[in-house]
Amino acid sequence: MSSTEHPFLDGTVKRLLIDGQWCEARTGRTFESRNPATGDLLATIAEGDAADIDRAVAAARRAFESGPWPRMLPAERQNILLRLADLLDARCEDFALLDTLDMGSPIRHTQGSVGLLAGVLRYNAGMARALHGETLHPSVPDMFAATVKEPVGVCGAIIPWNGPLWATVLKVAPVLATGCTLVLKPAEDASLSPLLFGALCLEAGVPPGVINVVPGHGATAGAALAAHLDVDKMSFTGSEVTGRKIVQASAGNLKRLSLELGGKSPNIVFADADLDAAVPAAAIAAFANSGQVCSAGTRLFVERPIAEAFAAEVARFAANLRIGDGRDPETDLGPLVSARQMSRVAGYIDGARAEGARVVSGGCRMSGAPWDAGYFMPPTVLADLCDEMQVVREEVFGPVVSVLPFDTAEEAVRRANATPFGLGAGVWTRDLARAHRLGRALRAGSVWVNCYNMIDPAVPSGGYKASGYGREYGTLHLEEHLQVKSLWFRTA
Ligand code: ADP
């Protein structure tokens, strides 16, 4: 990797951002970041652990208790958020390329994300001035009662690697809008854009200590942050297994938690649907970002008379998706993020074969030059499955879709809901009454009718059941960063 390819990758060690300063880890240890498309070394990153998390939490506490941030006028915080959005727009190419290099996502995808994320910052900028309490009317004589909203305090956030900038901005924006402070622990597979975004926050005028970024491993830095007694709220996006550890770690001080965990989302296609729209959408729902999306539509329920043909059409559409290095603007699907993820995904596909599934398309790691240098898995369509198979039950987090025929709407709903998860669900039909029925019957935080994976800064997104608790985007996201205080005044 030459330094000219990205200004941030200049050969220097990428350090931790604590209290507005770039610091070495206390241990002096570092870890490597490599491009999953080529294996090239991108950067060496300071490896934070519990001692660095302690320093960062102390800085965030100082910034919250005695810094200017929580005392700033809403209009001042709004201006900083708007400046941050403008800076992000201006640096769109830098951020998009950094995520593409770091975790493989195609450049068109990462560029598109930057635009949406600038919108998230602007939405939160607006909300910074719209936060309010209520006046109330208790049935007690001579009393006036009102609520005020106050920032919850020092927040911690632990994020995954599948959308590093995305997750960073989603954690930072409501923290800034509400006057909280933050310690962010990026994923060890993708720490670069979170660090660059930390620099952008300083450039936008966010005071030192408000946003701290401490890369490191989950079992050390992550666990220390999750258990920290001086963190008031934790927000975690990642696997269900790690989510359970975060819940346990929160018990020490009963910190507030928001969890955005895994999914095994159903996408239900009826024979009366606009199939010309449903076929590409079903493929993209499952394969976008090489399937490394929590809300990927991985259980594709198709009404039986069209199931076989629909599976073939999805496979045909997928075969035309261009796989390659994410830097190429023609690329539709990049590599998986790491060797670990590749063996995990390949393991699920092999397991499905062993359980009797039919591989309609894909199914084997791409090999030979140039594929061997990276972790490329083609979109894989599986059929002849039953709901009990592991690949149908568990989150694969790779480009793998299970086609599952059904006979009635009731059966589709029952099977779609028969999962511990409940993040997203899709319904494709021209029957409006059926669309409404299923929209209500599906147990998921988002149900998309004749569309899939829609996102907007104003519309909440989150999980039912084991997909987590709390909502991101929209006003509910801000509420999670606020305490409600009731004030009583004797008036006579
Ligand atoms: P994956 O296995 O796909 O990496 P994880 O849920 O383990 O998914 O990782 C998401 C984030 O959680 C990463 O930032 C990771 O470092 C962090 N993490 C992993 N284990 C722990 C843990 N025990 N405590 C806190 N954070 C953790």
Side-chain angles (χ1 to χ4, degrees), residues 158-161 185-189 216-224 226 236-243 245-246 340-341 344 397:
I158 298 176
I159 59 173
W161 42 261
K185 208 292 285 171
E188 41 280 69
D189 283 326
H217 292 292
T220 50
F236 172 74
T237 303
S239 65
E240 182 206 352
V241 172
T242 304
K245 293 183 187 160
I246 304 282
R340 182 173 71 112
Q341 195 60 16
R344 183 186 147 87
F397 231 60

Side-chain angles (χ1 to χ4, degrees), residues 90-240:
R91 303 281 296 277
C92 173
E93 297 303 320
D94 277 357
F95 276 98
L97 180 58
L98 201 55
D99 269 2
T100 292
L101 291 167
D102 207 9
M103 49 70 67
S105 215
I107 192 79
R108 274 187 288 129
H109 177 90
T110 52
Q111 283 167 340
S113 302
V114 174
L116 193 130
L117 294 170
V120 167
L121 290 167
R122 293 194 177 98
Y123 174 86
N124 279 273
M127 290 309 299
R129 289 181 80 158
L131 305 174
H132 59 85
E134 295 176 297
T135 54
L136 303 152
H137 302 281
S139 296
V140 184
D142 302 325
M143 284 288 168
F144 174 84
T147 58
V148 289
K149 301 270 176 80
E150 297 183 340
V152 71
V154 174
C155 300
I158 298 176
I159 59 173
W161 42 261
N162 61 330
L165 178 68
W166 195 297
T168 299
V169 173
L170 266 189
K171 304 305 178 195
V172 167
V175 159
L176 294 183
T178 54
C180 293
T181 60
L182 178 71
V183 177
L184 176 74
K185 208 292 285 171
E188 41 280 69
D189 283 326
S191 301
L192 296 173
S193 66
L195 288 168
L196 187 60
F197 193 76
L200 209 69
C201 289
L202 294 177
E203 197 179 328
V206 176
V210 173
I211 301 294
N212 305 275
V213 185
V214 183
H217 292 292
T220 50
L225 183 58
H228 206 291
L229 298 179
D230 207 25
V231 170
D232 299 302
K233 172 191 188 295
M234 268 303 299
S235 175
F236 172 74
T237 303
S239 65
E240 182 206 352

Side-chain angles (χ1 to χ4, degrees), residues 3 48 59 102 105 130 142 171 285 377 393 411 425 490:
S3 59
D102 207 9
S105 215
D142 302 325
K171 304 305 178 195
M377 178 64 84
R393 284 186 291 111
E411 176 202 336
R490 189 175 293 284

Side-chain angles (χ1 to χ4, degrees), residues 217-436:
H217 292 292
T220 50
L225 183 58
H228 206 291
L229 298 179
D230 207 25
V231 170
D232 299 302
K233 172 191 188 295
M234 268 303 299
S235 175
F236 172 74
T237 303
S239 65
E240 182 206 352
V241 172
T242 304
R244 287 178 199 282
K245 293 183 187 160
I246 304 282
V247 172
Q248 282 161 357
S250 73
N253 66 338
L254 295 169
K255 60 175 69 65
R256 194 184 278 196
L257 280 187
S258 310
L259 303 172
E260 211 269 57
L261 307 178
K264 194 69 198 177
S265 297
N267 193 13
I268 304 173
V269 182
F270 287 90
D272 75 336
D274 175 354
L275 299 179
D276 290 343
V279 166
I284 292 163
F287 303 137
N289 211 22
S290 298
Q292 303 168 122
V293 175
C294 331
S295 52
T298 51
R299 288 185 300 148
L300 183 54
F301 289 97
V302 187
E303 205 167 358
R304 194 174 303 276
I306 62 160
E308 189 65 39
F310 196 87
E313 286 299 309
V314 169
R316 184 154 50 193
F317 180 88
N320 287 324
L321 294 173
R322 284 152 303 194
I323 302 170
D325 189 319
R327 280 173 290 188
D328 182 344
E330 299 289 302
T331 295
D332 295 307
L333 299 180
L336 297 175
V337 72
S338 62
R340 182 173 71 112
Q341 195 60 16
M342 172 57 91
S343 69
R344 183 186 147 87
V345 173
Y348 272 109
I349 297 172
D350 292 346
R353 273 201 192 91
E355 284 189 282
R358 174 164 55 95
V359 178
V360 180
S361 66
C364 291
R365 177 181 184 165
M366 296 167 75
S367 57
W371 310 114
D372 285 343
Y375 312 112
F376 292 94
M377 178 64 84
T380 298
V381 178
L382 301 177
D384 298 349
L385 301 143
C386 63
D387 295 0
E388 290 69 35
M389 289 180 179
Q390 197 180 20
V391 76
V392 182
R393 284 186 291 111
E394 295 180 12
E395 184 172 47
V396 176
F397 231 60
V400 181
V401 70
S402 300
V403 180
L404 304 160
F406 69 88
D407 291 300
T408 66
E410 292 68 29
E411 176 202 336
V413 168
R414 181 178 45 76
R415 291 170 62 196
N417 284 341
T419 166
F421 297 113
L423 200 52
V427 180
W428 295 83
T429 180
R430 287 190 166 102
D431 179 337
L432 189 59
R434 181 157 63 190
H436 275 272

